[in-house]
């Protein structure tokens, strides 16, 4: 998972060198998930949003799941990607709303009852929806945002549902 995240970060950083006039944003997100956030805007309507960081440390820590009545006890590594639509709120250039669909890959330890306190490492895959509001500070390249959504795990525990709520700051390049 770490190799995948490093490879993805390298590809994105290579893209920064060739996209001097494109609209990019880089920031930090705190919540579920927590991590580095990279956003690429397209034609003032669409965006690709990527977060690389941790998952399960705030809202999903010590959380039971169905199946073998196990529990997630720790934070794991996460890669979250969303395709977004965004628009100004009330025709304001300072405030935008956005929403979108995407996916999430997580690596966490699970503690199933059948293992009597021992853990197994899980790679989980699922779908995710996201919506948020972003405020662009006037005469500045910094924006702050608040967003929420949900993650629905498909593998290995189908229909494990977890909220995604976070806020953060972005530097718009």
């Amino acid at each position: 998972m770490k190799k995948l995240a490093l490879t993805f970060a390298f590809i994105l950083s290579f893209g920064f060198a060739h996209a001097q006039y494109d609209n990019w944003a880089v920031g930090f997100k705190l919540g579920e998930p927590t991590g580095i956030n990279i956003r690429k805007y397209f034609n003032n309507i669409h965006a690709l949003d990527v977060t690389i960081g941790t998952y399960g440390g705030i809202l999903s820590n010590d959380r039971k799941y169905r199946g073998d009545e196990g529990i997630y006890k720790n934070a794991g590594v996460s890669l979250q990607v969303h395709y977004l639509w965004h628009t100004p709120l009330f025709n304001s250039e300072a405030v935008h709303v956005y929403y979108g669909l995407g996916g999430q890959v997580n690596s966490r330890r699970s503690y199933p009852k059948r293992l009597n306190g021992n853990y197994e490492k899980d790679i989980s895959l699922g779908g995710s929806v996201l919506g948020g509001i972003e405020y662009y500070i006037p005469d500045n390249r910094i924006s702050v945002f608040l967003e929420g959504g949900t993650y629905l795990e498909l593998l290995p525990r189908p229909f494990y549902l977890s909220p995604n709520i976070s806020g953060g700051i972005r530097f718009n390049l």
Side-chain angles (χ1 to χ4, degrees):
M1 182 71 180
K2 289 180 183 178
K3 288 181 183 179
L4 175 67
L6 289 173
T7 301
F8 192 74
F10 176 75
I11 290 169
L12 285 176
S13 65
F14 181 77
F16 284 134
H18 293 293
Q20 294 177 357
Y21 299 104
D22 290 346
N23 198 2
W24 289 84
V26 178
F28 183 75
K29 185 188 266 197
L30 180 62
E32 288 291 349
T34 294
I36 303 297
N37 180 252
I38 302 166
R39 184 174 282 183
K40 169 69 174 113
Y41 294 95
F42 302 100
N43 66 18
N44 294 327
I45 300 171
H46 303 100
L48 185 64
D49 188 78
V50 178
T51 301
I52 301 168
T54 64
Y55 184 76
I58 297 174
L59 297 175
S60 298
N61 199 15
D62 287 345
R63 186 141 175 224
K64 293 182 180 181
Y65 54 80
R66 292 191 303 230
D68 56 6
E69 298 181 2
I71 194 167
Y72 285 126
K73 287 187 176 182
N74 65 333
V77 178
S78 175
L79 172 65
Q80 184 183 60
V81 180
H82 287 101
Y83 185 80
L84 302 176
W85 292 266
H86 63 96
T87 185
L89 185 63
F90 305 118
N91 291 325
S92 168
E93 288 300 317
V95 181
H96 283 221
V97 293
Y98 55 89
Y99 53 93
L101 301 168
Q104 190 168 317
V105 179
N106 305 307
S107 173
R108 293 180 74 178
R109 291 182 184 173
S110 65
Y111 294 78
K113 278 195 172 181
R114 63 180 162 74
L115 294 180
N116 296 324
N118 293 320
Y119 69 87
E120 60 187 12
K121 287 189 175 184
D122 280 341
I123 300 292
S124 61
L125 175 66
S128 181
V129 295
L130 182 70
I133 187 164
E134 185 166 14
Y135 174 69
Y136 296 86
I137 299 172
D139 301 323
N140 205 324
R141 293 180 156 226
I142 295 174
S143 62
V144 293
F145 63 92
L146 182 63
E147 60 190 26
T150 190
Y151 164 69
L152 179 65
E153 189 169 297
L154 301 175
L155 295 173
R157 294 180 179 69
F159 304 111
Y160 172 75
L161 191 65
S162 181
N164 284 343
I165 301 170
S166 58
I169 188 167
R170 287 191 191 96
F171 182 72
N172 297 282
L173 304 173

